[in-house]
PDB file of all heavy atoms in Angstrom:
ATOM      1  N   ILE A 119      -8.873  -2.476  -0.158  1.00  0.00           N
ATOM      2  CA  ILE A 119      -8.016  -3.656  -0.023  1.00  0.00           C
ATOM      3  C   ILE A 119      -8.402  -4.449   1.216  1.00  0.00           C
ATOM      4  O   ILE A 119      -8.508  -5.684   1.183  1.00  0.00           O
ATOM      5  CB  ILE A 119      -6.530  -3.250   0.015  1.00  0.00           C
ATOM      6  CG1 ILE A 119      -6.102  -2.694  -1.349  1.00  0.00           C
ATOM      7  CG2 ILE A 119      -5.650  -4.440   0.404  1.00  0.00           C
ATOM      8  CD1 ILE A 119      -4.718  -2.080  -1.380  1.00  0.00           C
ATOM      9  N   LYS A 120      -8.635  -3.750   2.320  1.00  0.00           N
ATOM     10  CA  LYS A 120      -9.026  -4.432   3.564  1.00  0.00           C
ATOM     11  C   LYS A 120     -10.346  -5.176   3.392  1.00  0.00           C
ATOM     12  O   LYS A 120     -10.501  -6.300   3.873  1.00  0.00           O
ATOM     13  CB  LYS A 120      -9.125  -3.430   4.710  1.00  0.00           C
ATOM     14  CG  LYS A 120      -7.786  -2.906   5.153  1.00  0.00           C
ATOM     15  CD  LYS A 120      -7.944  -1.799   6.178  1.00  0.00           C
ATOM     16  CE  LYS A 120      -6.620  -1.142   6.451  1.00  0.00           C
ATOM     17  NZ  LYS A 120      -6.730   0.000   7.355  1.00  0.00           N
ATOM     18  N   GLU A 121     -11.297  -4.559   2.695  1.00  0.00           N
ATOM     19  CA  GLU A 121     -12.577  -5.218   2.450  1.00  0.00           C
ATOM     20  C   GLU A 121     -12.420  -6.415   1.519  1.00  0.00           C
ATOM     21  O   GLU A 121     -13.021  -7.468   1.738  1.00  0.00           O
ATOM     22  CB  GLU A 121     -13.586  -4.229   1.868  1.00  0.00           C
ATOM     23  CG  GLU A 121     -14.088  -3.221   2.872  1.00  0.00           C
ATOM     24  CD  GLU A 121     -15.028  -2.191   2.263  1.00  0.00           C
ATOM     25  OE1 GLU A 121     -15.282  -2.222   1.041  1.00  0.00           O
ATOM     26  OE2 GLU A 121     -15.492  -1.329   3.034  1.00  0.00           O
ATOM     27  N   GLU A 122     -11.622  -6.258   0.481  1.00  0.00           N
ATOM     28  CA  GLU A 122     -11.415  -7.334  -0.500  1.00  0.00           C
ATOM     29  C   GLU A 122     -10.827  -8.586   0.148  1.00  0.00           C
ATOM     30  O   GLU A 122     -11.220  -9.702  -0.168  1.00  0.00           O
ATOM     31  CB  GLU A 122     -10.490  -6.832  -1.616  1.00  0.00           C
ATOM     32  CG  GLU A 122     -10.122  -7.863  -2.639  1.00  0.00           C
ATOM     33  CD  GLU A 122     -11.254  -8.193  -3.595  1.00  0.00           C
ATOM     34  OE1 GLU A 122     -12.173  -7.365  -3.758  1.00  0.00           O
ATOM     35  OE2 GLU A 122     -11.204  -9.287  -4.179  1.00  0.00           O
ATOM     36  N   TYR A 123      -9.867  -8.396   1.049  1.00  0.00           N
ATOM     37  CA  TYR A 123      -9.173  -9.531   1.658  1.00  0.00           C
ATOM     38  C   TYR A 123      -9.600  -9.780   3.102  1.00  0.00           C
ATOM     39  O   TYR A 123      -8.969 -10.568   3.802  1.00  0.00           O
ATOM     40  CB  TYR A 123      -7.656  -9.315   1.572  1.00  0.00           C
ATOM     41  CG  TYR A 123      -7.194  -9.282   0.132  1.00  0.00           C
ATOM     42  CD1 TYR A 123      -6.778  -8.092  -0.445  1.00  0.00           C
ATOM     43  CD2 TYR A 123      -7.197 -10.431  -0.646  1.00  0.00           C
ATOM     44  CE1 TYR A 123      -6.373  -8.044  -1.774  1.00  0.00           C
ATOM     45  CE2 TYR A 123      -6.803 -10.398  -1.969  1.00  0.00           C
ATOM     46  CZ  TYR A 123      -6.389  -9.200  -2.526  1.00  0.00           C
ATOM     47  OH  TYR A 123      -6.006  -9.155  -3.829  1.00  0.00           O
ATOM     48  N   ASN A 124     -10.681  -9.109   3.535  1.00  0.00           N
ATOM     49  CA  ASN A 124     -11.220  -9.305   4.874  1.00  0.00           C
ATOM     50  C   ASN A 124     -10.149  -9.123   5.951  1.00  0.00           C
ATOM     51  O   ASN A 124      -9.979  -9.959   6.835  1.00  0.00           O
ATOM     52  CB  ASN A 124     -11.868 -10.694   4.973  1.00  0.00           C
ATOM     53  CG  ASN A 124     -12.880 -10.756   6.089  1.00  0.00           C
ATOM     54  OD1 ASN A 124     -13.365  -9.724   6.553  1.00  0.00           O
ATOM     55  ND2 ASN A 124     -13.197 -11.950   6.521  1.00  0.00           N
ATOM     56  N   LEU A 125      -9.431  -8.012   5.855  1.00  0.00           N
ATOM     57  CA  LEU A 125      -8.341  -7.709   6.783  1.00  0.00           C
ATOM     58  C   LEU A 125      -8.855  -6.868   7.943  1.00  0.00           C
ATOM     59  O   LEU A 125      -9.862  -6.168   7.820  1.00  0.00           O
ATOM     60  CB  LEU A 125      -7.238  -6.947   6.045  1.00  0.00           C
ATOM     61  CG  LEU A 125      -6.595  -7.677   4.867  1.00  0.00           C
ATOM     62  CD1 LEU A 125      -5.650  -6.744   4.123  1.00  0.00           C
ATOM     63  CD2 LEU A 125      -5.870  -8.916   5.334  1.00  0.00           C
ATOM     64  N   PRO A 126      -8.151  -6.914   9.080  1.00  0.00           N
ATOM     65  CA  PRO A 126      -8.582  -6.103  10.229  1.00  0.00           C
ATOM     66  C   PRO A 126      -8.432  -4.611   9.938  1.00  0.00           C
ATOM     67  O   PRO A 126      -7.628  -4.203   9.101  1.00  0.00           O
ATOM     68  CB  PRO A 126      -7.632  -6.534  11.352  1.00  0.00           C
ATOM     69  CG  PRO A 126      -6.468  -7.141  10.669  1.00  0.00           C
ATOM     70  CD  PRO A 126      -6.961  -7.692   9.359  1.00  0.00           C
ATOM     71  N   ASN A 127      -9.189  -3.819  10.647  1.00  0.00           N
ATOM     72  CA  ASN A 127      -9.184  -2.372  10.459  1.00  0.00           C
ATOM     73  C   ASN A 127      -8.046  -1.760  11.275  1.00  0.00           C
ATOM     74  O   ASN A 127      -8.236  -1.330  12.403  1.00  0.00           O
ATOM     75  CB  ASN A 127     -10.530  -1.777  10.864  1.00  0.00           C
ATOM     76  CG  ASN A 127     -10.668  -0.351  10.423  1.00  0.00           C
ATOM     77  OD1 ASN A 127      -9.941   0.097   9.541  1.00  0.00           O
ATOM     78  ND2 ASN A 127     -11.568   0.369  11.038  1.00  0.00           N
ATOM     79  N   VAL A 128      -6.865  -1.741  10.683  1.00  0.00           N
ATOM     80  CA  VAL A 128      -5.674  -1.160  11.303  1.00  0.00           C
ATOM     81  C   VAL A 128      -5.128  -0.077  10.390  1.00  0.00           C
ATOM     82  O   VAL A 128      -5.614   0.102   9.275  1.00  0.00           O
ATOM     83  CB  VAL A 128      -4.595  -2.241  11.591  1.00  0.00           C
ATOM     84  CG1 VAL A 128      -5.070  -3.195  12.672  1.00  0.00           C
ATOM     85  CG2 VAL A 128      -4.238  -3.001  10.329  1.00  0.00           C
ATOM     86  N   ARG A 129      -4.117   0.629  10.839  1.00  0.00           N
ATOM     87  CA  ARG A 129      -3.600   1.795  10.103  1.00  0.00           C
ATOM     88  C   ARG A 129      -2.673   1.436   8.948  1.00  0.00           C
ATOM     89  O   ARG A 129      -2.080   2.317   8.342  1.00  0.00           O
ATOM     90  CB  ARG A 129      -2.843   2.702  11.066  1.00  0.00           C
ATOM     91  CG  ARG A 129      -3.726   3.319  12.098  1.00  0.00           C
ATOM     92  CD  ARG A 129      -2.936   4.121  13.072  1.00  0.00           C
ATOM     93  NE  ARG A 129      -1.887   4.873  12.401  1.00  0.00           N
ATOM     94  CZ  ARG A 129      -1.374   5.984  12.837  1.00  0.00           C
ATOM     95  NH1 ARG A 129      -1.771   6.486  13.965  1.00  0.00           N
ATOM     96  NH2 ARG A 129      -0.428   6.607  12.176  1.00  0.00           N
ATOM     97  N   TYR A 130      -2.506   0.182   8.638  1.00  0.00           N
ATOM     98  CA  TYR A 130      -1.580  -0.242   7.590  1.00  0.00           C
ATOM     99  C   TYR A 130      -2.154  -1.444   6.855  1.00  0.00           C
ATOM    100  O   TYR A 130      -3.126  -2.055   7.303  1.00  0.00           O
ATOM    101  CB  TYR A 130      -0.221  -0.607   8.186  1.00  0.00           C
ATOM    102  CG  TYR A 130      -0.322  -1.611   9.303  1.00  0.00           C
ATOM    103  CD1 TYR A 130      -0.390  -2.968   9.038  1.00  0.00           C
ATOM    104  CD2 TYR A 130      -0.362  -1.204  10.634  1.00  0.00           C
ATOM    105  CE1 TYR A 130      -0.492  -3.891  10.053  1.00  0.00           C
ATOM    106  CE2 TYR A 130      -0.462  -2.118  11.661  1.00  0.00           C
ATOM    107  CZ  TYR A 130      -0.532  -3.462  11.358  1.00  0.00           C
ATOM    108  OH  TYR A 130      -0.659  -4.382  12.367  1.00  0.00           O
ATOM    109  N   ILE A 131      -1.550  -1.773   5.703  1.00  0.00           N
ATOM    110  CA  ILE A 131      -1.862  -3.003   4.993  1.00  0.00           C
ATOM    111  C   ILE A 131      -0.543  -3.684   4.648  1.00  0.00           C
ATOM    112  O   ILE A 131       0.506  -3.045   4.581  1.00  0.00           O
ATOM    113  CB  ILE A 131      -2.681  -2.747   3.709  1.00  0.00           C
ATOM    114  CG1 ILE A 131      -1.924  -1.828   2.759  1.00  0.00           C
ATOM    115  CG2 ILE A 131      -4.054  -2.218   4.025  1.00  0.00           C
ATOM    116  CD1 ILE A 131      -2.541  -1.734   1.386  1.00  0.00           C
ATOM    117  N   SER A 132      -0.605  -4.963   4.424  1.00  0.00           N
ATOM    118  CA  SER A 132       0.615  -5.686   4.082  1.00  0.00           C
ATOM    119  C   SER A 132       0.986  -5.421   2.625  1.00  0.00           C
ATOM    120  O   SER A 132       0.129  -5.131   1.785  1.00  0.00           O
ATOM    121  CB  SER A 132       0.430  -7.188   4.304  1.00  0.00           C
ATOM    122  OG  SER A 132      -0.468  -7.721   3.352  1.00  0.00           O
ATOM    123  N   ILE A 133       2.257  -5.515   2.377  1.00  0.00           N
ATOM    124  CA  ILE A 133       2.719  -5.366   0.992  1.00  0.00           C
ATOM    125  C   ILE A 133       2.143  -6.498   0.147  1.00  0.00           C
ATOM    126  O   ILE A 133       1.771  -6.293  -1.010  1.00  0.00           O
ATOM    127  CB  ILE A 133       4.260  -5.333   0.935  1.00  0.00           C
ATOM    128  CG1 ILE A 133       4.742  -3.993   1.467  1.00  0.00           C
ATOM    129  CG2 ILE A 133       4.762  -5.585  -0.479  1.00  0.00           C
ATOM    130  CD1 ILE A 133       6.207  -3.732   1.346  1.00  0.00           C
ATOM    131  N   LYS A 134       2.013  -7.679   0.733  1.00  0.00           N
ATOM    132  CA  LYS A 134       1.447  -8.818   0.013  1.00  0.00           C
ATOM    133  C   LYS A 134       0.032  -8.495  -0.482  1.00  0.00           C
ATOM    134  O   LYS A 134      -0.289  -8.742  -1.647  1.00  0.00           O
ATOM    135  CB  LYS A 134       1.420 -10.048   0.913  1.00  0.00           C
ATOM    136  CG  LYS A 134       0.833 -11.257   0.255  1.00  0.00           C
ATOM    137  CD  LYS A 134       0.790 -12.431   1.198  1.00  0.00           C
ATOM    138  CE  LYS A 134       0.116 -13.602   0.514  1.00  0.00           C
ATOM    139  NZ  LYS A 134      -0.166 -14.677   1.434  1.00  0.00           N
ATOM    140  N   ALA A 135      -0.813  -7.945   0.401  1.00  0.00           N
ATOM    141  CA  ALA A 135      -2.187  -7.604   0.013  1.00  0.00           C
ATOM    142  C   ALA A 135      -2.187  -6.540  -1.080  1.00  0.00           C
ATOM    143  O   ALA A 135      -2.953  -6.624  -2.049  1.00  0.00           O
ATOM    144  CB  ALA A 135      -2.977  -7.138   1.230  1.00  0.00           C
ATOM    145  N   TYR A 136      -1.326  -5.531  -0.933  1.00  0.00           N
ATOM    146  CA  TYR A 136      -1.232  -4.468  -1.934  1.00  0.00           C
ATOM    147  C   TYR A 136      -0.843  -5.055  -3.292  1.00  0.00           C
ATOM    148  O   TYR A 136      -1.452  -4.735  -4.317  1.00  0.00           O
ATOM    149  CB  TYR A 136      -0.219  -3.414  -1.496  1.00  0.00           C
ATOM    150  CG  TYR A 136      -0.042  -2.296  -2.495  1.00  0.00           C
ATOM    151  CD1 TYR A 136      -0.858  -1.174  -2.444  1.00  0.00           C
ATOM    152  CD2 TYR A 136       0.933  -2.363  -3.494  1.00  0.00           C
ATOM    153  CE1 TYR A 136      -0.707  -0.144  -3.366  1.00  0.00           C
ATOM    154  CE2 TYR A 136       1.079  -1.350  -4.413  1.00  0.00           C
ATOM    155  CZ  TYR A 136       0.257  -0.251  -4.343  1.00  0.00           C
ATOM    156  OH  TYR A 136       0.412   0.752  -5.268  1.00  0.00           O
ATOM    157  N   CYS A 137       0.161  -5.898  -3.304  1.00  0.00           N
ATOM    158  CA  CYS A 137       0.646  -6.481  -4.557  1.00  0.00           C
ATOM    159  C   CYS A 137      -0.412  -7.363  -5.214  1.00  0.00           C
ATOM    160  O   CYS A 137      -0.580  -7.332  -6.435  1.00  0.00           O
ATOM    161  CB  CYS A 137       1.919  -7.277  -4.305  1.00  0.00           C
ATOM    162  SG  CYS A 137       3.338  -6.246  -3.893  1.00  0.00           S
ATOM    163  N   GLU A 138      -1.115  -8.148  -4.416  1.00  0.00           N
ATOM    164  CA  GLU A 138      -2.167  -8.989  -4.978  1.00  0.00           C
ATOM    165  C   GLU A 138      -3.301  -8.138  -5.544  1.00  0.00           C
ATOM    166  O   GLU A 138      -3.818  -8.430  -6.617  1.00  0.00           O
ATOM    167  CB  GLU A 138      -2.708  -9.943  -3.914  1.00  0.00           C
ATOM    168  CG  GLU A 138      -1.756 -11.058  -3.574  1.00  0.00           C
ATOM    169  CD  GLU A 138      -2.281 -11.968  -2.473  1.00  0.00           C
ATOM    170  OE1 GLU A 138      -3.472 -11.863  -2.091  1.00  0.00           O
ATOM    171  OE2 GLU A 138      -1.493 -12.786  -1.982  1.00  0.00           O
ATOM    172  N   TYR A 139      -3.686  -7.098  -4.836  1.00  0.00           N
ATOM    173  CA  TYR A 139      -4.797  -6.245  -5.251  1.00  0.00           C
ATOM    174  C   TYR A 139      -4.480  -5.527  -6.566  1.00  0.00           C
ATOM    175  O   TYR A 139      -5.321  -5.474  -7.469  1.00  0.00           O
ATOM    176  CB  TYR A 139      -5.109  -5.236  -4.150  1.00  0.00           C
ATOM    177  CG  TYR A 139      -6.352  -4.430  -4.390  1.00  0.00           C
ATOM    178  CD1 TYR A 139      -7.613  -4.954  -4.093  1.00  0.00           C
ATOM    179  CD2 TYR A 139      -6.279  -3.143  -4.886  1.00  0.00           C
ATOM    180  CE1 TYR A 139      -8.762  -4.210  -4.297  1.00  0.00           C
ATOM    181  CE2 TYR A 139      -7.423  -2.385  -5.098  1.00  0.00           C
ATOM    182  CZ  TYR A 139      -8.664  -2.934  -4.803  1.00  0.00           C
ATOM    183  OH  TYR A 139      -9.801  -2.187  -5.014  1.00  0.00           O
ATOM    184  N   PHE A 140      -3.267  -4.995  -6.679  1.00  0.00           N
ATOM    185  CA  PHE A 140      -2.889  -4.243  -7.883  1.00  0.00           C
ATOM    186  C   PHE A 140      -2.129  -5.090  -8.899  1.00  0.00           C
ATOM    187  O   PHE A 140      -1.733  -4.583  -9.945  1.00  0.00           O
ATOM    188  CB  PHE A 140      -2.051  -3.016  -7.508  1.00  0.00           C
ATOM    189  CG  PHE A 140      -2.873  -1.906  -6.932  1.00  0.00           C
ATOM    190  CD1 PHE A 140      -2.864  -1.647  -5.575  1.00  0.00           C
ATOM    191  CD2 PHE A 140      -3.669  -1.125  -7.749  1.00  0.00           C
ATOM    192  CE1 PHE A 140      -3.633  -0.628  -5.036  1.00  0.00           C
ATOM    193  CE2 PHE A 140      -4.444  -0.103  -7.230  1.00  0.00           C
ATOM    194  CZ  PHE A 140      -4.429   0.145  -5.870  1.00  0.00           C
ATOM    195  N   MET A 141      -1.917  -6.361  -8.586  1.00  0.00           N
ATOM    196  CA  MET A 141      -1.215  -7.294  -9.471  1.00  0.00           C
ATOM    197  C   MET A 141       0.156  -6.759  -9.883  1.00  0.00           C
ATOM    198  O   MET A 141       0.473  -6.645 -11.081  1.00  0.00           O
ATOM    199  CB  MET A 141      -2.070  -7.627 -10.690  1.00  0.00           C
ATOM    200  CG  MET A 141      -3.314  -8.407 -10.328  1.00  0.00           C
ATOM    201  SD  MET A 141      -4.283  -8.897 -11.740  1.00  0.00           S
ATOM    202  CE  MET A 141      -5.322  -7.452 -11.957  1.00  0.00           C
ATOM    203  N   VAL A 142       0.933  -6.390  -8.874  1.00  0.00           N
ATOM    204  CA  VAL A 142       2.302  -5.925  -9.096  1.00  0.00           C
ATOM    205  C   VAL A 142       3.256  -6.789  -8.282  1.00  0.00           C
ATOM    206  O   VAL A 142       2.849  -7.478  -7.347  1.00  0.00           O
ATOM    207  CB  VAL A 142       2.480  -4.436  -8.705  1.00  0.00           C
ATOM    208  CG1 VAL A 142       1.636  -3.546  -9.585  1.00  0.00           C
ATOM    209  CG2 VAL A 142       2.155  -4.206  -7.248  1.00  0.00           C
ATOM    210  N   GLU A 143       4.504  -6.756  -8.645  1.00  0.00           N
ATOM    211  CA  GLU A 143       5.530  -7.522  -7.949  1.00  0.00           C
ATOM    212  C   GLU A 143       6.056  -6.742  -6.747  1.00  0.00           C
ATOM    213  O   GLU A 143       6.145  -5.512  -6.790  1.00  0.00           O
ATOM    214  CB  GLU A 143       6.695  -7.830  -8.897  1.00  0.00           C
ATOM    215  CG  GLU A 143       6.307  -8.683 -10.081  1.00  0.00           C
ATOM    216  CD  GLU A 143       5.906 -10.089  -9.684  1.00  0.00           C
ATOM    217  OE1 GLU A 143       6.493 -10.634  -8.717  1.00  0.00           O
ATOM    218  OE2 GLU A 143       4.986 -10.641 -10.320  1.00  0.00           O
ATOM    219  N   ARG A 144       6.421  -7.452  -5.715  1.00  0.00           N
ATOM    220  CA  ARG A 144       6.974  -6.812  -4.514  1.00  0.00           C
ATOM    221  C   ARG A 144       8.213  -5.991  -4.829  1.00  0.00           C
ATOM    222  O   ARG A 144       8.396  -4.906  -4.296  1.00  0.00           O
ATOM    223  CB  ARG A 144       7.337  -7.856  -3.459  1.00  0.00           C
ATOM    224  CG  ARG A 144       6.164  -8.475  -2.791  1.00  0.00           C
ATOM    225  CD  ARG A 144       6.614  -9.444  -1.740  1.00  0.00           C
ATOM    226  NE  ARG A 144       5.462 -10.184  -1.263  1.00  0.00           N
ATOM    227  CZ  ARG A 144       5.426 -10.828  -0.142  1.00  0.00           C
ATOM    228  NH1 ARG A 144       6.482 -10.865   0.626  1.00  0.00           N
ATOM    229  NH2 ARG A 144       4.343 -11.477   0.224  1.00  0.00           N
ATOM    230  N   GLU A 145       9.053  -6.525  -5.686  1.00  0.00           N
ATOM    231  CA  GLU A 145      10.285  -5.824  -6.035  1.00  0.00           C
ATOM    232  C   GLU A 145       9.988  -4.461  -6.651  1.00  0.00           C
ATOM    233  O   GLU A 145      10.716  -3.501  -6.416  1.00  0.00           O
ATOM    234  CB  GLU A 145      11.141  -6.677  -6.983  1.00  0.00           C
ATOM    235  CG  GLU A 145      11.692  -7.939  -6.361  1.00  0.00           C
ATOM    236  CD  GLU A 145      10.661  -9.065  -6.231  1.00  0.00           C
ATOM    237  OE1 GLU A 145       9.648  -9.060  -6.961  1.00  0.00           O
ATOM    238  OE2 GLU A 145      10.854  -9.928  -5.364  1.00  0.00           O
ATOM    239  N   ASP A 146       8.927  -4.392  -7.447  1.00  0.00           N
ATOM    240  CA  ASP A 146       8.541  -3.116  -8.056  1.00  0.00           C
ATOM    241  C   ASP A 146       8.088  -2.116  -6.993  1.00  0.00           C
ATOM    242  O   ASP A 146       8.390  -0.926  -7.079  1.00  0.00           O
ATOM    243  CB  ASP A 146       7.428  -3.319  -9.085  1.00  0.00           C
ATOM    244  CG  ASP A 146       7.886  -4.156 -10.272  1.00  0.00           C
ATOM    245  OD1 ASP A 146       9.105  -4.205 -10.537  1.00  0.00           O
ATOM    246  OD2 ASP A 146       7.022  -4.764 -10.924  1.00  0.00           O
ATOM    247  N   VAL A 147       7.367  -2.602  -6.000  1.00  0.00           N
ATOM    248  CA  VAL A 147       6.914  -1.739  -4.907  1.00  0.00           C
ATOM    249  C   VAL A 147       8.111  -1.230  -4.122  1.00  0.00           C
ATOM    250  O   VAL A 147       8.233  -0.026  -3.854  1.00  0.00           O
ATOM    251  CB  VAL A 147       5.927  -2.483  -3.983  1.00  0.00           C
ATOM    252  CG1 VAL A 147       5.617  -1.669  -2.733  1.00  0.00           C
ATOM    253  CG2 VAL A 147       4.651  -2.828  -4.733  1.00  0.00           C
ATOM    254  N   TYR A 148       9.023  -2.141  -3.763  1.00  0.00           N
ATOM    255  CA  TYR A 148      10.223  -1.741  -3.017  1.00  0.00           C
ATOM    256  C   TYR A 148      11.044  -0.729  -3.818  1.00  0.00           C
ATOM    257  O   TYR A 148      11.507   0.270  -3.275  1.00  0.00           O
ATOM    258  CB  TYR A 148      11.097  -2.949  -2.679  1.00  0.00           C
ATOM    259  CG  TYR A 148      10.483  -3.897  -1.674  1.00  0.00           C
ATOM    260  CD1 TYR A 148      10.474  -5.265  -1.900  1.00  0.00           C
ATOM    261  CD2 TYR A 148       9.922  -3.422  -0.494  1.00  0.00           C
ATOM    262  CE1 TYR A 148       9.929  -6.131  -0.970  1.00  0.00           C
ATOM    263  CE2 TYR A 148       9.374  -4.286   0.436  1.00  0.00           C
ATOM    264  CZ  TYR A 148       9.375  -5.644   0.187  1.00  0.00           C
ATOM    265  OH  TYR A 148       8.837  -6.509   1.096  1.00  0.00           O
ATOM    266  N   ALA A 149      11.206  -0.994  -5.103  1.00  0.00           N
ATOM    267  CA  ALA A 149      11.997  -0.093  -5.942  1.00  0.00           C
ATOM    268  C   ALA A 149      11.354   1.290  -6.020  1.00  0.00           C
ATOM    269  O   ALA A 149      12.047   2.305  -5.929  1.00  0.00           O
ATOM    270  CB  ALA A 149      12.159  -0.685  -7.341  1.00  0.00           C
ATOM    271  N   SER A 150      10.044   1.322  -6.170  1.00  0.00           N
ATOM    272  CA  SER A 150       9.352   2.605  -6.250  1.00  0.00           C
ATOM    273  C   SER A 150       9.464   3.385  -4.946  1.00  0.00           C
ATOM    274  O   SER A 150       9.706   4.593  -4.957  1.00  0.00           O
ATOM    275  CB  SER A 150       7.880   2.377  -6.597  1.00  0.00           C
ATOM    276  OG  SER A 150       7.209   3.601  -6.693  1.00  0.00           O
ATOM    277  N   LEU A 151       9.314   2.704  -3.827  1.00  0.00           N
ATOM    278  CA  LEU A 151       9.430   3.381  -2.531  1.00  0.00           C
ATOM    279  C   LEU A 151      10.853   3.876  -2.290  1.00  0.00           C
ATOM    280  O   LEU A 151      11.051   4.978  -1.796  1.00  0.00           O
ATOM    281  CB  LEU A 151       8.991   2.447  -1.404  1.00  0.00           C
ATOM    282  CG  LEU A 151       7.495   2.162  -1.311  1.00  0.00           C
ATOM    283  CD1 LEU A 151       7.225   1.094  -0.264  1.00  0.00           C
ATOM    284  CD2 LEU A 151       6.726   3.430  -1.014  1.00  0.00           C
TER     285      LEU A 151
END
Side-chain angles (χ1 to χ4, degrees):
I119 292 172
K120 289 173 189 176
E121 288 177 358
E122 176 74 22
Y123 296 109
N124 202 19
L125 300 173
N127 192 19
V128 292
R129 294 176 41 153
Y130 53 84
I131 59 169
S132 69
I133 287 186
K134 179 182 177 190
Y136 179 88
C137 290
E138 287 178 10
Y139 188 81
F140 284 104
M141 293 184 273
V142 296
E143 298 293 325
R144 287 182 189 199
E145 293 77 22
D146 295 337
V147 171
Y148 292 133
S150 181
L151 288 173

